[in-house]
Amino acid sequence: MSYIIAANWKMHKTAAETAAFCKAIMQEEQLFGDFEIIICPPYTALSTASAALKGSRIKLGAQNLHWEPKGAFTGEISAFMLGEMNVSHVIIGHSERRHLMGESDDQVHLKVQTALNNGLIPILCVGETGQERDNGMTEMVIERQLNSVLEGLSDDVASKMVIAYEPVWAIGTGRAASEQDAEDAARLIVQIIDHRLGRAAAETIRIQYGGSVTADNIGLYVTSTSLQGFLVGGASLETDLFSSLIQAAREAVKG
Ligand code: PGA
């Protein structure tokens, strides 16, 4: 199964900066082998990125969507609008949305269903806060977040999903999870999928780790048998950093 590395730019980069990044990263593309690379700029740069990435294997992702097709939802964007921009992936339930914007498990569930129903691949983020970890609630939180999304999804539809384990305490802190912590969480996710959707789905759904991933530490996670990719924030913002991170992962995979 090929690795999937997604760049989550959050609220960074203008359209002009996005165009410059895309042009530069496309020059490096032959170094990425069969890795699937996805860039998720802010909404305002999607159109620019879509045009800039034409002819490239690098895919385009969004950072959120609304579950309604249209209507009076000021500030929201629909799946159809994203499709029009050639977006193939969409990050859903990122901890910054759950914790800073108050996004609930129910809303995350609706968003994942909407993405899948509209041919978009959700990158579903799950993960515990530092306090939840300290209180021994890591497994419980992952189970709750994942089970609420899997509710009502058939195995063939859900199999298209990507799931990112992103412990909140590791995001943007420089304190990445240990390879054992990431592996334990990824294994738990595989178990839950296996239990709810069956073996085939558990073997198909790819699991990413996210949280302070850099070119220096990415090789550690590649030994994990349950992880097949990464969701990268800070280290995806500069072309050379992002390119060397992907290459470091490739080197580690090759052993
Ligand atoms: P980080 O962010 O790599 O800057 O920790 C990861 C994320 O939020 O997806």
Side-chain angles (χ1 to χ4, degrees), residues 9-174:
W9 285 356
K10 312 187 179 188
M11 199 170 70
H12 290 284
K13 290 197 194 293
T14 62
E17 289 163 347
T18 299
F21 181 105
C22 291
K23 195 169 163 209
I25 202 82
M26 283 165 71
Q27 317 257 324
E28 310 264 305
E29 214 179 319
Q30 76 284 357
L31 303 171
F32 304 159
D34 66 349
F35 274 34
E36 200 177 332
I37 308 299
I38 300 144
I39 292 173
C40 307
Y43 289 138
T44 47
L46 284 174
S47 170
T48 302
S50 169
L53 292 173
K54 261 212 183 99
S56 159
R57 282 184 48 241
I58 298 172
K59 294 178 183 157
L60 188 59
Q63 299 175 19
N64 186 23
L65 88 175
H66 194 271
W67 54 88
E68 291 292 343
K70 60 181 167 184
F73 302 102
T74 303
E76 297 292 337
I77 306 273
S78 76
F80 180 73
M81 294 167 185
L82 295 180
E84 199 183 26
M85 299 280 130
N86 299 318
V87 163
S88 55
H89 292 68
V90 55
I91 298 170
I92 297 179
H94 189 279
S95 71
E96 284 147 21
R97 297 218 52 89
R98 291 181 191 262
H99 298 289
L100 301 177
M101 312 294 169
E103 210 165 272
S104 67
D105 285 337
D106 287 346
Q107 289 173 333
V108 171
H109 180 207
L110 281 172
K111 289 178 181 203
V112 168
Q113 277 187 326
T114 304
L116 289 167
N117 290 341
N118 286 276
L120 295 170
I121 299 172
I123 300 177
L124 166 70
C125 301
V126 297
E128 79 288 359
T129 63
Q131 200 180 6
E132 287 164 341
R133 170 160 287 257
D134 292 345
N135 292 337
M137 292 163 66
T138 300
E139 296 196 351
M140 205 191 86
V141 171
I142 295 173
E143 279 171 23
R144 192 202 73 225
Q145 290 177 337
L146 195 51
N147 278 324
S148 88
V149 164
L150 297 178
E151 191 64 48
L153 285 186
S154 66
D155 55 347
D156 55 329
V157 171
S159 295
K160 301 198 170 68
M161 257 195 322
V162 175
I163 298 174
Y165 169 58
E166 291 215 314
V168 183
W169 48 270
I171 296 176
T173 58

